[in-house]
Amino acid sequence: MSRISVLVLGATLTCASIVATSSSDAGTLKQTRVAWGYDAVPTKNLDCTSSCFGNVEIYHLGVGTYDVNIARIYLAEPSNLEVSSAENATLAYCTIAGWNRGVGKTIDAYVDCYDINGNPADTYFTFLYQSRTLPLGSAEKGIAFLWADQPTEASYTPNPDYQYNSTNATNTMVRNGTGSYTASIPGLTKKGGNVQVTAYGSGPARCKVSDWGANGAGTSVSVICFDVTGAATDEMFTLAYNIGEPLGLHGRKIYHGDYGDAGAYAWADKADDSNIYIPLKAYNYNGFKTGPLTAQKNSTGVYTLSVPDVTFFGGGATMLVTAYGASNTFCTAGDGLEGWNPFQVFCYDQSGKPADSKFSVMLQTLETK
């Protein structure tokens, strides 16, 4: 199979930056290449030094169309990209239009964003890119990702250039019906973790996680996709799963001067709870070692996620959020992306009205202050 197709935009882009690995052990150091960021100026080109990891540059190519240029990171390894729309200045959602090798050792990742009617729309967004190789982790701690690139096939093995499993197993896909899929992630057998999903393609669509669970063979993740009208539709998407560690960096110096993972995740499973609560332990991970994350509903479709005993994340943060459940609701990242804790999540129904929803959320930063 050919590599991911990307939009031909006729632009020659150059950038001098470096995105390095980070790990407390030499084995992981050889495996992980990560970049993340928050597009804080969605209508202009952005030198993303203050809100990204690595001197990422974001090019505004047209209304709702962006090139995230990540310098000196490309390796011939399995890679993944996840994107979330962010803030609520403009109600929108974002998809991945592709990513490929750019000029020199760079990645050009293309993001398209749309308003609720499916029209191109400039909006804030967050992203996380990673490439990995070699086994990493155990049955109870690790990472997997894939590009589900054959949306009408009954079953298939995703392209090895864009899938990874830290137990060295091979992920597979099954189509259950129109717009309904199950990803099988062998080897990662512990209950819990976090799932992020992003629709992929050249038009407006949304994908979300409807369920996931583990057994003695591994973890299964159910994904559903919708077109601009909210109807179920067959779509390509990317998926990333992690348990016991963040999707991004490991071994960063964190809040207590110790070394940890400088990332966190939670499954906010109480969509209508206005009280502060602690999400279930199996789905609640805090690499900053300050205690379990908490969540709270502030108003219809508006939620707060808090990392205890942390005020500010050095260098800003990225947050990925995916709505959870069987309906066509969707969620976006909100306040906190400049590095301030707590963070907010906004969820909407198909018409764009605030709506209560469960969601899966992931945070990644460099360190805390």
Side-chain angles (χ1 to χ4, degrees):
M1 171 177 286
S2 62
R3 299 182 70 84
I4 292 180
S5 60
V6 278
L7 301 178
V8 178
L9 298 163
T12 301
L13 304 174
T14 60
C15 173
S17 69
I18 183 167
V19 179
T21 63
S22 177
S23 175
S24 57
D25 68 78
T28 305
L29 186 64
K30 298 178 181 177
Q31 298 173 13
T32 307
R33 302 292 187 274
V34 174
W36 70 76
Y38 161 48
D39 183 7
V41 189
T43 59
K44 299 179 181 179
N45 295 342
L46 175 65
D47 182 0
C48 196
T49 55
S50 62
S51 54
C52 297
F53 173 57
N55 292 327
V56 176
E57 293 188 359
I58 300 176
Y59 295 85
H60 182 244
L61 303 175
V63 177
T65 300
Y66 304 89
D67 174 10
V68 179
N69 184 261
I70 310 166
R72 306 185 71 170
I73 191 173
Y74 179 83
L75 293 175
E77 299 172 350
S79 59
N80 175 263
L81 179 67
E82 301 297 333
V83 174
S84 292
S85 56
E87 302 284 353
N88 64 342
T90 302
L91 176 57
Y93 57 93
C94 299
T95 67
I96 297 166
W99 69 96
N100 68 349
R101 185 171 183 172
V103 177
K105 296 179 180 179
T106 66
I107 288 291
D108 284 314
Y110 298 99
V111 176
D112 288 339
C113 299
Y114 304 92
D115 66 19
I116 197 65
N117 297 312
N119 302 307
D122 293 333
T123 190
Y124 304 90
F125 65 88
T126 65
F127 69 91
L128 187 146
Y129 170 87
Q130 60 181 313
S131 65
R132 298 175 184 268
T133 189
L134 305 177
L136 164 70
S138 66
E140 297 187 349
K141 178 180 179 179
I143 290 173
F145 58 71
L146 59 87
W147 173 41
D149 62 330
Q150 301 177 52
T152 60
E153 287 295 315
S155 62
Y156 65 97
T157 299
N159 189 328
D161 287 343
Y162 303 98
Q163 75 147 293
Y164 171 80
N165 185 314
S166 60
T167 70
N168 212 24
T170 300
N171 309 314
T172 58
M173 288 295 306
V174 170
R175 179 178 181 268
N176 307 309
T178 302
S180 175
Y181 308 93
T182 298
S184 294
I185 303 171
L188 292 172
T189 58
K190 186 177 180 180
K191 174 184 176 181
N194 184 264
V195 178
Q196 296 299 322
V197 177
T198 308
Y200 176 105
S202 58
R206 300 192 302 270
C207 296
K208 62 188 287 189
V209 57
S210 61
D211 197 14
W212 80 92
N215 56 35
T219 295
S220 295
V221 181
S222 297
V223 175
I224 49 178
C225 298
F226 304 94
D227 65 17
V228 68
T229 71
T233 184
D234 292 329
E235 293 289 342
M236 294 185 283
F237 58 87
T238 63
L239 180 152
Y241 172 76
N242 57 309
I243 186 166
E245 61 186 71
L247 285 175
L249 296 179
H250 310 272
R252 301 294 300 190
K253 194 171 184 178
I254 56 169
Y255 190 64
H256 295 298
D258 195 359
Y259 281 85
D261 289 335
Y265 62 72
W267 174 43
D269 62 319
K270 297 181 180 181
D272 57 356
D273 197 336
S274 297
N275 298 308
I276 297 173
Y277 71 95
I278 298 175
L280 295 171
K281 182 178 180 181
Y283 307 90
N284 190 331
Y285 174 79
N286 180 3
F288 305 104
K289 303 181 180 180
T290 57
L293 278 62
T294 62
Q296 181 183 22
K297 174 185 170 181
N298 304 125
S299 60
T300 301
V302 180
Y303 301 89
T304 296
L305 184 80
S306 297
V307 180
D309 297 326
V310 176
T311 302
F312 183 71
F313 295 90
T318 197
M319 174 167 62
L320 298 174
V321 58
T322 293
Y324 174 98
S327 70
N328 54 16
T329 57
F330 66 101
C331 299
T332 71
D335 296 338
L337 296 168
E338 296 83 0
W340 296 102
N341 180 50
F343 295 79
Q344 281 192 312
V345 171
F346 302 99
C347 298
Y348 304 92
D349 65 15
Q350 172 59 33
S351 68
K353 295 180 180 178
D356 294 339
S357 176
K358 300 177 182 180
F359 57 87
S360 181
V361 61
M362 186 222 75
L363 305 174
Q364 179 68 68
T365 185
L366 289 174
E367 57 186 271
T368 58
K369 291 183 179 180

